[in-house]
Amino acid sequence: MTEILSYPLERAKVTTQIVPIGNIRIGGDNPVCIQSMLVNPCSHTQDACAEIHALVQAGCQMIRMSMPTQKELDAVPLIRHYMKQEGLNVPLVADIHFSSTLAINAASLFEKVRINPGNFTDTSKNRKQQAISFDEGKARLQEELALLVVALKKHNTALRIGVNHGSLSERMIQKYGDSPIGMVESALEAIEILEENTFYHTIISLKSSNSMIVQKAYRLLWEKQRHRTRVYPLHLGVTEAGNKISGEIKGLSGIAPLLLDGLGDTIRVSLTGASLDEIPVAYTFRDTFASRQGTSNPVEWKRSLHFIRTREEACFFGDINLENQFLVGTSQDMIVQGESISDFIYKQTDTHLIWQGNRYLIKALTDATIAQDEEVLLCYFPSALYQLRSFYYKQQAKAPVGLVITSDMSLLEQGELAAILSERLIDFILLPANLTLPMIERIQCLLQATGLKRYVADYIACPSCARTLYDIEATTQKIQDKTKHLKDVKIGIMGCIVNGPGEMADAEFGYVGAAPNKIDLYYLGQCIQKGIPEEQAVERLVSLIKEKGKWVEKI
């Protein structure tokens, strides 16, 4: 069976059922809720309370906390007492892995409990355990979820089914593949069991460190949900996004295209570092992309989950075959500042764009959204996303399709570009001479986050949380300082083993917290050095990269 996804041809409005969580309501026409996650463990009560206070002051509307042991749960009443004294009235969410008992115990202390079906009763792909049949695994999940539902109902507590690509269960992978389909089926199985137990206060998330997988998983879930009696609210996020601008852009590339199409009821922008840094970024995403004003039943372009744009003949741009590559053209006046991003240089006149390599002529009809001659199609901002989708909805493009950027893009246009690149709607992009250096950097990050180009080493870096076993923000910076020039290397920097080995499965090298101040190093998904003292681990990682022949010296 071919899975089909729908892409609206205009801003869409998606309405989900309303789920109350403490003093807020998720779904329906309610504004998208902004949430974050504590870096400090709850057992460090004073630090946790200070972090909660800062988050609430910054506008965080829901706070998630790691609950790895009963010790953390036992600290929650004291935190609640502090919050009451300070008038901090925001819902708290317990983040539970591996233990159904902890989830049941948390139901009385939190407004929402988050469980991961990949490791709630199943074995996730990054852990070894005796294999069981698919039906046996489902029966075990049914039994434990039924017990959890009793506790959730008793305390009027909501539940988040939080599927992570990095910890998808082995039985789901064996049946559906390590894919968006497996992620969606894992969520739907849990929903089916919850509904059998007449429990409906459910939020769903489908997260990955790969923004392309994030988009496809949520769109596929929407297809599966949209004609059901109940359409559950969605929590959006990209895991292990990273730090600074690269983390922001990776989050944008996964979240913005979904919000633009009306999907998403609550978001977290996961950044490596202080939780406080996530809040202003999340608000800009919400305010820019999450309009509740849209068409409820827009015309949609239907395409396969595994869509690849095909043409009747090989597609050439001049003498370059575009079949397996994406091109970036920069104006001849931007040679100095745009050298590292450019595949070719073009010259622009009032009527023509000319590729200087062989003076390849492109008509530039600036009064049209999509201009066409016999050889090339061009699309111009603004509103390029819906124009391009409409174009493909109506016809098949045999010629290469390019996007013309005329100036620094607004955040809205950057979100549209993220969707255009993710959906593989264009073959090349033309950048003008007047782009600022920060905008060039953001475009580079977008091209890398969507898998079209590689300019620097690629990092899958955890956001900090209470499970993190070392200073991940400082360590990420150290690793980047030493390896950023290795553009053909992908490194996973994971705070712990909950999702670490799974989320970095497509990374060549992995740096994973195994115990307090102890690091395990991975190569191609296999742990090859264990228990390295933290103070030695970054240099050992560099040595491993050299040993595997992936090191080049800085120029």
Side-chain angles (χ1 to χ4, degrees):
M1 176 180 176
T2 301
E3 301 287 358
I4 301 297
L5 307 183
S6 299
Y7 294 83
L9 305 187
E10 59 183 310
R11 290 297 292 265
K13 179 180 181 179
V14 172
T15 302
T16 57
Q17 74 170 40
I18 295 173
V19 175
I21 302 174
N23 64 334
I24 65 174
R25 293 159 70 82
I26 304 296
D29 289 325
N30 292 292
V32 170
C33 174
I34 304 300
Q35 61 180 279
S36 186
M37 189 170 185
L38 285 194
V39 171
N40 289 289
C42 290
S43 55
H44 298 179
T45 308
Q46 188 172 357
D47 292 337
C49 288
E51 188 178 358
I52 290 170
H53 193 281
L55 283 170
V56 175
Q57 291 296 108
C60 185
Q61 298 169 301
M62 190 183 307
I63 300 174
R64 184 158 51 111
M65 303 170 167
S66 295
M67 293 290 131
T69 67
Q70 185 63 43
K71 178 183 177 182
E72 304 298 327
L73 276 178
D74 291 341
V76 174
L78 188 57
I79 291 173
R80 287 288 194 186
H81 177 70
Y82 168 83
M83 292 177 66
K84 185 175 181 179
Q85 282 187 322
E86 297 295 317
L88 305 177
N89 188 23
V90 297
L92 300 181
V93 183
D95 190 72
I96 308 292
H97 292 271
F98 309 121
S99 174
S100 57
T101 300
L102 280 178
I104 291 170
N105 293 344
S108 64
L109 297 170
F110 291 85
E111 285 83 7
K112 183 169 75 170
V113 173
R114 180 266 174 137
I115 63 167
N116 180 348
N119 59 35
F120 187 63
T121 56
D122 275 343
T123 305
S124 59
K125 64 183 177 184
N126 54 330
R127 287 177 169 259
K128 294 181 179 180
Q129 188 171 309
Q130 184 176 0
I132 59 172
S133 72
F134 188 88
D135 290 339
E136 286 175 320
K138 183 175 181 179
R140 190 160 61 185
L141 182 62
Q142 286 174 318
E143 180 180 350
E144 295 297 331
L145 276 182
L147 294 174
L148 177 57
V149 163
V150 172
L152 294 171
K153 286 182 175 180
K154 179 179 179 180
H155 300 286
N156 196 30
T157 303
L159 181 69
R160 175 175 144 200
I161 299 298
V163 178
N164 269 32
H165 184 222
S167 51
L168 191 60
S169 72
E170 281 290 348
R171 66 186 183 92
M172 285 292 167
I173 292 173
Q174 290 171 8
K175 185 167 184 177
Y176 299 107
D178 192 2
S179 67
I181 298 174
M183 296 168 68
V184 170
E185 291 298 332
S186 180
L188 291 176
E189 179 186 71
I191 290 169
E192 175 191 333
I193 295 169
L194 293 170
E195 290 181 342
E196 288 172 356
N197 288 273
T198 63
F199 183 85
Y200 310 108
H201 285 187
T202 307
I203 311 286
I204 308 170
S205 67
L206 303 166
K207 292 191 176 184
S208 171
S209 59
N210 184 317
S211 59
M212 304 271 291
I213 290 175
V214 168
Q215 289 186 47
K216 290 183 177 182
Y218 280 108
R219 292 186 190 279
L220 180 58
L221 178 63
W222 164 240
E223 292 295 328
K224 301 283 189 178
Q225 278 208 92
R226 63 192 302 181
H227 300 302
R228 291 167 53 93
T229 302
R230 298 180 184 277
V231 180
Y232 294 99
L234 302 178
H235 167 71
L236 305 185
V238 177
T239 61
E240 286 81 37
N243 62 356
K244 299 181 180 178
I245 186 173
S246 61
E248 177 191 340
I249 295 298
K250 188 175 282 190
L252 181 143
S253 66
I255 294 171
L258 297 170
L259 291 176
L260 284 169
D261 289 341
L263 296 171
D265 301 281
T266 172
I267 61 172
R268 179 195 176 196
V269 179
S270 298
L271 299 176
T272 300
S275 57
L276 202 61
D277 295 341
E278 299 178 353
I279 306 306
V281 180
Y283 269 102
T284 60
F285 284 10
R286 185 187 79 172
D287 296 344
T288 303
F289 307 117
S291 170
R292 290 302 193 194
Q293 306 302 315
T295 303
S296 296
N297 294 295
V299 176
E300 295 175 325
W301 175 34
K302 305 285 187 179
R303 48 185 275 192
S304 165
L305 172 69
H306 305 295
F307 169 83
I308 298 176
R309 188 153 56 85
T310 57
R311 308 173 186 86
E312 293 182 1
E313 300 175 355
C315 180
F316 284 86
F317 185 76
D319 57 1
I320 298 177
N321 190 337
L322 288 170
E323 183 177 0
N324 294 311
Q325 61 181 317
F326 182 91
L327 298 182
V328 177
T330 55
S331 167
Q332 64 177 2
D333 299 323
M334 201 176 81
I335 294 176
V336 174
Q337 62 174 287
E339 185 175 6
S340 65
I341 198 174
S342 182
D343 295 308
F344 66 91
I345 308 300
Y346 72 89
K347 179 172 68 176
Q348 185 168 4
T349 68
D350 291 339
T351 56
H352 300 104
L353 293 167
I354 302 171
W355 180 18
Q356 289 188 313
N358 61 1
R359 299 189 63 79
Y360 185 75
L361 184 65
I362 304 173
K363 289 183 179 179
L365 305 178
T366 55
D367 59 343
T369 302
I370 297 182
Q372 181 173 1
D373 67 4
E374 294 180 354
E375 298 176 281
V376 175
L377 303 172
L378 291 177
C379 188
Y380 300 83
F381 271 128
S383 300
L385 173 60
Y386 298 109
Q387 292 289 345
L388 280 165
R389 286 180 183 170
S390 297
F391 172 76
Y392 288 112
Y393 172 73
K394 296 173 183 176
Q395 60 190 299
Q396 175 70 28
K398 299 179 182 178
V401 178
L403 183 67
V404 181
I405 305 296
T406 57
S407 62
D408 277 12
M409 294 180 290
S410 67
L411 187 61
L412 178 61
E413 290 171 337
Q414 292 173 49
E416 285 201 10
L417 179 59
I420 289 166
L421 298 174
S422 299
E423 296 167 29
R424 302 299 192 252
L425 301 183
I426 58 175
D427 301 292
F428 66 94
I429 190 170
L430 298 177
L431 306 180
N434 62 343
L435 288 185
T436 62
L437 288 174
M439 183 54 60
I440 293 172
E441 183 181 7
R442 293 180 75 85
I443 291 172
Q444 285 180 300
C445 288
L446 274 171
L447 289 168
Q448 182 148 328
T450 52
L452 287 171
K453 289 287 187 181
R454 182 75 70 82
Y455 294 104
V456 297
D458 199 6
Y459 303 95
I460 304 172
C462 278
S464 301
C465 79
R467 292 188 299 264
T468 302
L469 296 167
Y470 59 91
D471 186 342
I472 194 167
E473 183 176 15
T475 301
T476 298
Q477 190 60 56
K478 288 179 185 177
I479 293 173
Q480 288 180 334
D481 290 344
K482 290 182 176 293
T483 63
K484 192 172 183 178
H485 66 291
L486 305 174
K487 69 177 184 177
D488 293 325
V489 168
K490 190 170 187 177
I491 302 171
I493 308 167
M494 303 287 119
C496 72
I497 62 169
V498 170
N499 295 313
E503 287 291 2
M504 67 177 194
D506 60 344
E508 293 146 285
F509 300 93
Y511 184 106
V512 180
N517 303 311
K518 296 292 184 180
I519 305 301
D520 290 350
L521 295 183
Y522 284 69
Y523 177 65
L524 299 180
Q526 299 297 315
C527 182
I528 59 173
Q529 296 183 32
K530 293 185 176 182
I532 302 168
E534 183 185 351
E535 61 271 17
Q536 302 174 18
V538 173
E539 291 301 328
R540 293 276 286 274
L541 173 64
V542 170
S543 297
L544 179 61
I545 295 172
K546 292 179 177 179
E547 176 188 324
K548 299 301 180 181
K550 301 293 289 186
W551 185 266
V552 295
E553 296 298 332
K554 291 181 181 180
I555 298 175

